């Protein structure tokens, strides 16, 4: 879920992956704004702070389980959780918690020598690698036990999914690479840097082949929207994405777990990794952290949602699918360090050891910790298609046996109150997706004190995590379940149909047909409700 293709490139080259939603011009902090006052479907954060004037708050620790966080960022360094009991760099577990030099959090994707996992497989690749030796030669007539038959059917479904993904990746890898080669030649012939190229330069350019004509047509459209430099960066990301898909994500011969050096099949193992919470690629996690709690009103960068937060960085997501053991350990670590909210902007279509994650979710539930999970970016119905981890506890046959009371699943919306309000990439589900929150053109922090707009339910989830942290800061007497109930009860209902993807076509539905609450989170109304809850408890 960590990469979403540029809409125009995807639409032109890969119709089966395209997302064609119009990107409207919005203020960079629109997710904090109010519809009545500002004309955008933000969550009314600034309006909520008017209710909180003069009220004291306590710091709330938010665990950011992600791909890494740049703790030195100018807009995050003052809001990072710091383990004051640990002495940095001395190689000693000073606080005796089992994690050496965990100053800003912990990295479960590395080893004690400082090496880190950057790339990994998708979970479907890992599962096929396990099941293939056993089932690749099985015929319909081969005698199997009931358990083996279930595994064999699941394996066949995995192979079909894997084959589709690999075909798409190979197609994308070839075509994006060729297009970039042509565009690089065009840029070289023009004699300017990408940031300098204008529409006039493209109009004046004389193409030499059909592929150049195609890339020029795409480029001209993009210059009118967001500029040539943005388009070129999107193309670079596309090239890297498909290269990583073929070389790592879908490569059955590639397995990076030896870098970590743990006993991978021992799901009770807790103490492995290192203290490098930034890791080799902290873009996604840094962006998520900024949405939650980038320093407010400091005159630089952006304002996060919560104003009294401590970001605890827990690195568990590689370039590829996260592993269930790491997810479970990340949750447990964050809980043990005092996190009251945990953001999980990741997800995958398969699970290796769901029971291990379920156990960690129950641990967080028992410790009064609220978990916020992104719904996913596949434009799918999560009631039908799985997006792990989930709020449902299941048995060995994958039958639902309970539901976590401390869990919120978040879909993504855009800034305008129209039929494109629902982000066209966002997953949804009448039972499985609880609420929606802003997730398009969200400007936030990036490594090396930079900033960038990104799209995704990965951006919507931290908006809700920030709201949860805001409530828990000013009303610490409220439980995780009460905070969840407040957030779900006070959503902004939208009495207007939105466009939702349905297979290869689309249809129009109301938000209450594709989510539990049928609304977008609202900080102003949530604070009003929290105040009422608090008074009733006193």
């Amino acid at each position: 879920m960590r990469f979403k293709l540029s809409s125009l490139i995807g639409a032109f080259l890969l119709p089966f992956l395209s997302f064609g939603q119009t990107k409207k011009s919005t203020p960079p902090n629109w997710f904090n704004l109010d519809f009545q006052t500002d004309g955008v479907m933000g969550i009314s954060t600034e309006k909520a702070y008017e209710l909180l004037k003069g009220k004291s708050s306590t710091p709330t620790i938010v665990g950011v389980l992600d791909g890494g966080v740049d703790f030195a960022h100018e807009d995050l360094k003052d809001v990072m959780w710091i383990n004051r009991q640990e002495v940095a760099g001395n190689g000693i577990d000073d606080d005796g918690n089992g994690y050496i030099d965990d100053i800003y959090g912990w990295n479960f994707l590395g080893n004690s020598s400082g090496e880190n996992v950057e790339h990994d497989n998708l979970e479907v690749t890992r599962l096929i690698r396990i099941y293939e030796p056993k089932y690749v030669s099985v015929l319909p007539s081969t005698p199997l036990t009931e358990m083996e038959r279930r595994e064999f059917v699941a394996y066949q479904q995995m192979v079909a999914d894997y084959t589709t993904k690999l075909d798409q990746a190979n197609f994308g890898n070839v075509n994006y690479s060729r297009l970039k080669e042509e565009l690089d030649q065009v840029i070289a012939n023009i004699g300017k840097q990408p940031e300098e190229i204008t529409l006039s330069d493209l109009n004046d350019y004389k193409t030499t082949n059909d592929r150049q004509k195609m890339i020029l047509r795409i480029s001209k459209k993009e210059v009118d929207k967001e500029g040539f430099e943005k388009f070129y960066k999107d193309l670079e990301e596309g090239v890297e994405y498909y290269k990583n898909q073929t070389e790592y994500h879908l490569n059955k011969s590639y397995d990076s777990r030896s870098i970590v050096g743990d006993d991978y099949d021992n799901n009770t193992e807790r103490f492995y990794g290192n203290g490098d919470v930034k890791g080799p690629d902290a873009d996604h996690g840094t962006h998520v952290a900024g949405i939650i709690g980038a320093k407010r009103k400091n005159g630089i960068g952006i304002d996060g949602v919560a104003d009294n937060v401590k970001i605890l960085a827990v690195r568990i997501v590689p370039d590829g699918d996260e592993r269930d053991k790491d997810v479970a350990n990340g949750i447990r670590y964050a809980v043990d360090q005092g996190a009251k909210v945990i953001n999980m902007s990741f997800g995958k279509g398969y699970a290796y050891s769901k029971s291990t994650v379920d156990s960690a979710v129950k641990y967080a539930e028992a410790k009064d910790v609220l978990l916020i999970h992104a719904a996913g970016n596949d434009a799918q119905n999560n009631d039908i298609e799985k997006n792990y981890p989930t709020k449902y506890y299941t048995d060995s046959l994958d039958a639902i046996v309970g539901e976590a009371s401390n869990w919120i699943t978040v879909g993504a919306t855009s800034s305008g109150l129209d039929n494109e309000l629902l982000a066209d990439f966002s997953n949804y589900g009448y039972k499985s997706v609880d609420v929606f929150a802003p997730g398009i053109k969200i400007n936030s922090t990036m490594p090396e004190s930079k900033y960038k707009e990104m799209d995704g339910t990965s951006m919507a989830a931290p908006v809700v995590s920030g709201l949860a942290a805001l409530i828990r800061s000013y009303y610490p007497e409220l439980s995780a379940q009460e905070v969840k109930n407040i957030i779900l009860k006070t959503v902004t209902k939208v009495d207007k149909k939105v466009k939702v993807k349905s297979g290869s076509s689309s249809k129009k539905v109301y938000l209450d047909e594709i989510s539990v609450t049928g609304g977008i989170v609202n900080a102003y109304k949530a604070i009003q409700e929290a105040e009422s809850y608090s008074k009733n408890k006193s």
Side-chain angles (χ1 to χ4, degrees):
M1 97 160 31
R2 298 184 61 199
F3 181 87
K4 190 175 74 64
L5 289 176
S6 157
S7 60
L8 186 61
I9 300 175
F12 199 91
L13 292 177
L14 303 169
F16 43 80
L17 289 181
S18 66
F19 299 111
Q21 186 155 325
T22 302
K23 291 188 176 183
K24 306 173 182 68
S25 177
T26 53
N29 64 326
W30 76 265
F31 62 95
N32 282 322
L33 301 182
D34 175 75
F35 182 72
Q36 296 299 327
T37 304
D38 308 296
V40 288
M41 291 297 293
I43 70 164
S44 305
T45 312
E46 307 307 335
K47 190 175 175 183
Y49 277 107
E50 295 174 10
L51 299 175
L52 294 169
K53 285 181 179 177
K55 190 175 181 64
S56 61
S57 64
T58 58
T60 296
I61 299 173
V62 179
V64 174
L65 275 57
D66 216 291
V69 176
D70 181 4
F71 53 85
H73 192 287
E74 64 178 6
D75 227 1
L76 293 174
K77 61 184 180 181
D78 292 336
V79 299
M80 293 300 300
W81 174 86
I82 299 176
N83 187 353
R84 302 293 181 185
Q85 300 179 58
E86 199 75 22
V87 178
N90 68 351
I92 299 172
D93 181 17
D94 299 288
D95 61 0
N97 70 349
Y99 301 96
I100 297 172
D101 292 340
D102 57 329
I103 305 299
Y104 299 102
W106 194 250
N107 168 27
F108 286 98
L109 298 178
N111 60 36
S112 58
S113 298
E115 296 175 292
N116 289 319
V117 171
E118 181 173 3
H119 307 287
D120 206 338
N121 304 133
L122 298 185
E123 191 67 74
V124 67
T125 308
R126 296 193 287 256
L127 289 172
I128 287 177
R129 190 162 56 227
I130 292 171
Y131 290 123
E132 192 168 60
K134 185 174 182 180
Y135 294 114
V136 68
S137 300
V138 167
L139 301 173
S141 59
T142 303
L144 297 171
T145 67
E146 183 180 349
M147 178 62 75
E148 287 174 333
R149 179 64 59 185
R150 283 199 296 269
E151 285 185 347
F152 177 59
V153 170
Y155 167 72
Q156 289 179 307
Q157 293 172 338
M158 291 174 196
V159 170
D161 184 25
Y162 173 84
T163 301
T164 299
K165 291 180 186 298
L166 186 59
D167 287 345
Q168 292 175 355
N170 286 331
F171 180 86
N173 191 34
V174 170
N175 283 279
Y176 270 66
S177 297
R178 287 178 179 172
L179 279 177
K180 185 176 180 298
E181 288 175 6
E182 292 292 348
L183 189 58
D184 284 339
Q185 186 60 56
V186 169
I187 292 170
N189 291 342
I190 290 174
K192 292 183 178 180
Q193 295 300 311
E195 62 271 19
E196 299 171 331
I197 291 178
T198 65
L199 182 59
S200 178
D201 293 324
L202 300 176
N203 285 331
D204 292 341
Y205 187 81
K206 304 302 181 184
T207 58
T208 58
N209 58 55
D210 289 341
R211 192 170 290 275
Q212 279 192 5
K213 290 178 182 178
M214 180 173 65
I215 197 67
L216 257 293
R217 284 199 302 271
I218 299 173
S219 301
K220 289 175 185 179
K221 291 179 181 178
E222 288 298 287
V223 168
D224 283 340
K225 291 181 180 178
E226 297 184 277
F228 184 84
E229 184 182 12
K230 173 67 166 56
F231 167 67
Y232 186 73
K233 287 182 178 178
D234 284 344
L235 184 57
E236 284 184 317
E237 288 183 12
V239 171
E240 182 181 10
Y241 172 75
Y242 284 116
K243 174 178 175 289
N244 291 344
Q245 283 268 296
T246 54
E247 291 190 10
Y248 307 114
H249 303 169
L250 297 165
N251 183 354
K252 288 183 286 185
S253 299
Y254 179 78
D255 186 357
S256 61
R257 195 63 184 191
S258 60
I259 294 173
V260 178
D262 63 324
D263 179 2
Y264 183 59
D265 290 322
N266 178 7
N267 288 320
T268 65
E269 185 180 14
R270 297 280 309 279
F271 305 109
Y272 58 92
N274 61 46
D276 179 10
V277 298
K278 185 177 180 182
D281 180 8
D283 286 10
H284 191 272
T286 303
H287 200 271
V288 165
I291 296 168
I292 295 168
K295 186 74 172 178
R296 290 181 61 83
K297 310 306 178 187
N298 61 352
I300 58 173
I302 64 152
D303 290 343
V305 176
D307 70 342
N308 197 355
V309 67
K310 295 297 178 185
I311 299 294
L312 169 65
V314 186
R315 184 170 182 263
I316 63 164
V317 183
D319 172 40
D321 278 346
E322 62 284 352
R323 296 180 183 240
D324 294 336
K325 178 179 179 179
D326 300 335
V327 172
N329 280 330
I331 291 172
R332 289 179 179 274
Y333 175 83
V335 170
D336 289 344
Q337 309 319 308
K340 302 308 290 182
V341 178
I342 294 177
N343 188 86
M344 301 187 295
S345 287
F346 52 80
K348 56 186 179 178
Y350 296 87
Y352 173 65
S353 182
K354 187 175 184 303
S355 61
T356 301
V357 179
D358 283 354
S359 178
V361 172
K362 290 176 182 178
Y363 182 72
E365 194 173 23
K367 297 290 187 178
D368 191 39
V369 180
L370 185 59
L371 306 178
I372 313 294
H373 184 232
N377 299 332
D378 300 307
Q380 71 182 23
N381 186 344
N382 284 356
D383 291 349
I384 300 172
E385 305 289 340
K386 295 291 197 311
N387 181 53
Y388 295 102
T390 75
K391 61 183 176 181
Y392 299 113
Y393 300 129
T394 57
D395 62 15
S396 59
L397 299 179
D398 202 33
I400 295 173
V401 295
E403 180 178 338
S405 66
N406 62 326
W407 183 291
I408 299 176
T409 301
V410 187
T413 48
S414 66
S415 59
L417 186 57
D418 53 31
N419 67 359
E420 291 190 346
L421 173 66
L422 179 70
D424 55 8
F425 54 79
S426 180
N427 290 358
Y428 52 91
Y430 178 69
K431 295 179 181 179
S432 53
V433 174
D434 296 298
V435 294
F436 293 96
I440 289 182
K441 295 193 73 173
I442 306 300
N443 188 43
S444 187
T445 47
M446 293 289 281
E448 316 310 325
S449 293
K450 296 179 181 178
Y451 302 84
K452 181 182 178 180
E453 287 183 352
M454 293 179 71
D455 303 340
T457 59
S458 284
M459 286 62 252
V463 170
V464 181
S465 292
L467 173 56
L470 176 63
I471 296 170
R472 301 208 82 170
S473 291
Y474 284 87
Y475 303 93
E477 68 277 10
L478 300 182
S479 68
Q481 188 167 353
E482 286 173 325
V483 173
K484 171 187 171 178
N485 292 341
I486 287 169
I487 292 173
L488 270 55
K489 182 180 179 181
T490 58
V491 297
T492 299
K493 299 278 188 174
V494 178
D495 187 23
K496 189 178 184 70
K497 286 191 173 183
V498 300
K499 188 164 58 177
V500 63
K501 293 277 186 177
S502 180
S504 59
S505 60
S506 63
K507 60 181 179 179
K508 290 185 178 181
V509 299
Y510 291 104
L511 287 183
D512 61 9
E513 297 178 73
I514 55 171
S515 66
V516 174
T517 63
I520 301 166
V521 296
N522 187 296
Y524 180 76
K525 288 196 268 186
I527 292 300
Q528 287 180 315
E529 188 70 14
E531 182 69 24
S532 177
Y533 263 63
S534 180
K535 287 179 179 177
N536 290 335
K537 291 190 74 167
S538 59

